[in-house]
Amino acid sequence: TDLENVISVLPDLDVNVRHFVHDEDFTCERDTVTLEIKLDRHHVSEGKTAPPVHAPFFPSAAKEEYWVILKAEDVRFSPWEMIMTKITDQSKLVTTEMKFPAPPKAGKYKFTVHLISTCYLGIDHEIKFDLQVESAAQLPEITDAYAKDDLEAETALEATFGASNVDSDVSSDEEEQQASTS
């Protein structure tokens, strides 16, 4: 029946979000934070794509799409009020990322992710999360990549083998030309 056909194409979604800073265990002032949004369409079979939306009076087939809006709850401490991206991928499992700057001061900040359908009313999702921002002054000190021992060992190798692998500013053609004129 028509009702069963409509119900079979209505989106049934799981939405998960997580935030992180690449190669870090915590978020620091002004870090670039990545927000990962995972969308799982339960109404789509594995390996298939989402069917066209149910819109019998629309002049052409419409695709299921979503706006993802990241909103900072306290804009006094955020250089932006909201960031948006659009999900147009029709796959069963969709992962997208948004990058945003962490607030400039240490503290706990509240954010909301809104997933808004472009085609259906009443299936929007709202996910709230807290972002703990640490003070940059409390970061551990970064040590030099070359320790004193490494530099001494490198100097000893240069003394033993010389700097024969160092390129000169003179090419081999120019060297030959200089040798023939001498």
Side-chain angles (χ1 to χ4, degrees), residues 38-49:
K38 289 188 177 186
L39 183 68
D40 184 359
R41 292 179 166 110
H42 294 291
H43 63 290
V44 176
S45 302
E46 200 67 44
K48 303 280 184 179
T49 59

Side-chain angles (χ1 to χ4, degrees), residues 5-168:
N5 290 339
V6 171
I7 291 172
S8 70
V9 298
L10 284 178
D12 178 17
L13 307 172
D14 272 342
V15 181
N16 294 304
V17 298
R18 76 178 182 109
H19 58 85
F20 58 93
V21 175
H22 284 285
D23 299 328
E24 298 290 337
D25 295 329
F26 53 88
T27 303
C28 199
E29 300 163 331
R30 293 188 174 88
D31 269 346
T32 298
V33 180
T34 300
L35 179 70
E36 180 184 75
I37 303 102
K38 289 188 177 186
L39 183 68
D40 184 359
R41 292 179 166 110
H42 294 291
H43 63 290
V44 176
S45 302
E46 200 67 44
K48 303 280 184 179
T49 59
V53 299
H54 178 73
F57 300 111
F58 202 69
S60 63
K63 295 184 176 185
E64 186 181 309
E65 297 177 339
Y66 297 91
W67 280 104
V68 179
I69 301 170
L70 173 63
K71 184 175 183 320
E73 296 300 323
D74 188 353
V75 295
R76 292 179 299 149
F77 297 108
S78 181
W80 48 272
E81 187 171 344
M82 72 172 96
I83 298 174
M84 301 175 10
T85 190
K86 192 174 189 180
I87 296 177
T88 59
D89 188 338
Q90 300 296 301
S91 304
K92 175 178 177 40
L93 299 172
V94 178
T95 301
T96 190
E97 291 184 348
M98 299 171 70
K99 296 192 181 300
F100 64 96
K105 294 182 181 176
K108 187 175 182 178
Y109 296 89
K110 296 185 179 299
F111 292 88
T112 304
V113 176
H114 298 274
L115 183 78
I116 301 172
S117 172
T118 62
C119 303
Y120 295 107
L121 294 175
I123 64 163
D124 300 341
H125 290 258
E126 181 179 286
I127 300 119
K128 295 182 181 287
F129 69 91
D130 294 335
L131 177 66
Q132 181 63 45
V133 177
E134 304 298 332
S135 170
Q138 301 199 5
L139 287 174
E141 188 173 322
I142 298 173
T143 58
D144 244 349
Y146 291 103
K148 184 179 177 185
D149 295 338
D150 292 339
L151 289 175
E152 288 173 2
E154 189 174 314
T155 305
L157 284 172
E158 285 178 2
T160 305
F161 297 108
S164 61
N165 67 339
V166 177
D167 290 335
S168 71

Side-chain angles (χ1 to χ4, degrees), residues 177-182:
Q177 209 172 31
Q178 286 177 352
S180 65
T181 58
S182 307

